[in-house]
């Protein structure tokens, strides 16, 4: 006579018991910022997204042109994702989304779109060093800002990104003679400082050589960077930034970002003239 339960044990697939924990983990949820969508196969899409922990993940988005899911998973949107991971195929798909921030205003202006594209390119290439709050706040801001506010917002975002990654050159002292900017210049913001790519630091006027490639930053430009570092985002948002210091910061920060990313940024190359 067969002992009770033997039949069911015999019909279970091998490894069934070991599979139980993995099966329990197949469905999962996370908050996510959708960075980009790429198409593969016959109209299927794959989303690249950032999580609050700073990790970059990919997941498929199935569905035809009229599917609700496909319509809701779009770049620059933040929401909660429901996902399913197939441990055998090692593939993940999005099964549902609850969009919390649509940011549709980004599509309404070329400058906004371009700023968002640059942000996404930086986050996509940053391998987890992008700060969830800083990135989301930047996208929230540009989706409702006019073009000039977007330009200033981009400067602040880029400097915050460099500060957060520890890639910001020191504006407090000369990278060559080591003199404290306070002592050398009396007032750190009363004189121009020159960023030297060779030193990866700022030089005082005495040390800056004419034959070097240098990025000058005038006192208002230095003051702006200092404010971004020391003041709250709401305090810096209202600070003015004139055309000339904006241009200096733009040149320097675009250079520093390209260097930090290990090469030219596609958005900067294709967006020439937009900012
Ligand atoms: Zn010096």
């Amino acid at each position: 006579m067969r002992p009770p339960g033997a039949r069911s044990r015999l019909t279970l697939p091998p490894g069934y018991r070991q599979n139980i924990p993995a099966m329990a983990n197949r469905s999962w949820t996370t908050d996510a910022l959708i960075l980009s969508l790429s198409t593969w196969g016959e109209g299927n899409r794959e989303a690249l997204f950032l999580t609050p922990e700073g990790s970059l993940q990919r997941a498929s988005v199935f569905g035809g042109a009229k599917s609700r899911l496909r319509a809701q998973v779009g770049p620059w949107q933040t929401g909660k994702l429901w996902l399913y991971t197939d441990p055998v195929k090692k593939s993940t798909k999005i099964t549902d989304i609850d969009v919390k921030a649509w940011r549709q205003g980004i599509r309404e202006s070329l400058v906004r779109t371009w700023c968002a594209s640059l942000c996404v390119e930086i986050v996509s290439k940053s391998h987890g060093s992008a700060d969830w709050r800083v990135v989301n706040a930047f996208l929230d801001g540009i989706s409702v800002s006019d073009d000039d506010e977007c330009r200033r917002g981009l400067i602040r975002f880029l400097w915050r990104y460099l500060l957060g990654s520890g890639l910001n050159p020191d504006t407090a002292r000369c990278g060559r003679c080591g003199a404290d900017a306070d002592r050398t210049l009396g007032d750190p913001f009363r004189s121009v400082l020159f960023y030297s790519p060779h030193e990866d630091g700022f030089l005082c006027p005495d040390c800056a050589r004419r034959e070097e490639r240098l990025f000058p930053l005038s006192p208002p430009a230095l003051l702006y960077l200092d404010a971004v570092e020391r003041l709250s985002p709401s305090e810096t948002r209202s600070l003015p930034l004139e055309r000339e210091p904006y241009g200096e910061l733009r040149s320097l920060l675009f250079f520093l970002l390209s260097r930090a990313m290990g090469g030219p940024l596609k958005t900067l190359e294709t967006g020439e003239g937009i900012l």
Side-chain angles (χ1 to χ4, degrees):
M1 206 180 139
R2 212 166 22 213
R7 185 182 149 83
S8 61
R9 264 205 297 279
L10 282 172
T11 55
L12 288 174
Y16 172 78
R17 286 179 190 282
Q18 289 93 308
N19 279 344
I20 289 174
M23 285 174 77
N25 290 331
R26 279 177 176 181
S27 294
W28 52 290
T29 60
T30 181
D31 284 335
L33 162 62
I34 309 291
L35 297 170
S36 59
L37 287 167
S38 51
T39 307
W40 56 272
E42 292 183 9
N44 290 315
R45 292 175 156 200
E46 186 182 65
L48 174 68
F49 59 91
L50 175 74
T51 69
E53 296 75 36
S55 73
L56 294 171
Q57 311 240 10
R58 290 179 190 278
S60 308
V61 189
F62 291 100
K66 286 180 181 171
S67 103
R68 182 191 73 87
L69 184 64
R70 183 165 162 163
Q72 296 203 346
V73 179
W76 315 320
Q77 288 167 194
T78 295
K80 184 175 178 182
L81 292 184
W82 281 261
L83 301 118
Y84 175 85
T85 297
D86 185 326
V88 178
K89 292 183 189 164
K90 294 195 184 350
S91 64
T92 297
K93 66 177 180 181
I94 297 174
T95 56
D96 205 356
I97 185 170
D98 177 14
V99 180
K100 305 239 167 65
W102 291 91
R103 304 185 180 115
Q104 280 168 325
I106 291 177
R107 288 175 175 78
E108 291 166 9
S109 124
L110 192 59
V111 172
R112 290 177 184 175
T113 308
W114 191 87
C115 286
S117 302
L118 180 59
C119 170
V120 160
E121 186 175 358
I122 290 167
V123 175
S124 305
K125 288 182 174 173
S126 66
H127 308 293
S129 63
D131 184 296
W132 168 263
R133 277 177 311 136
V134 170
V135 174
N136 276 285
F138 174 63
L139 294 175
D140 282 342
I142 60 168
S143 68
V144 294
S145 297
D146 66 29
D147 288 355
D148 280 344
E149 281 172 5
C150 284
R151 292 185 175 100
R152 289 194 298 272
L154 180 65
I155 296 294
R156 297 194 299 273
F157 169 73
L158 296 179
W159 188 240
R160 283 199 186 100
Y161 174 79
L162 291 168
L163 288 167
S165 314
L167 297 167
N168 57 304
D170 185 0
T171 57
R173 55 191 55 79
C174 173
R176 194 160 284 159
C177 71
D180 191 61
D182 278 14
R183 223 178 313 126
T184 313
L185 309 167
D187 177 338
F189 303 117
R190 207 167 289 160
S191 178
V192 174
L193 287 183
F194 299 87
Y195 173 77
S196 158
H198 179 69
E199 297 280 354
D200 189 23
F202 282 97
L203 303 179
C204 69
D206 291 341
C207 290
R209 295 191 202 108
R210 202 168 288 202
E211 66 274 16
E212 279 184 280
R213 184 191 180 194
L214 297 167
F215 293 85
L217 284 195
S218 61
L222 287 161
L223 190 63
Y224 200 78
L225 292 187
D226 192 54
V228 173
E229 192 173 346
R230 290 165 204 267
L231 304 180
S232 70
S234 61
E235 287 170 314
T236 48
R237 210 173 295 135
S238 56
L239 290 177
L241 182 63
E242 299 300 326
R243 195 179 178 80
E244 218 164 288
Y246 165 77
E248 294 168 354
L249 290 171
R250 177 185 177 280
S251 302
L252 173 65
L253 292 175
F254 286 6
F255 172 82
L256 291 176
L257 256 296
S258 301
R259 176 184 257 194
M261 297 293 137
L265 289 161
K266 208 168 68 187
T267 319
L268 293 183
E269 290 192 321
T270 57
E272 193 61 41
I274 293 174
L275 290 193

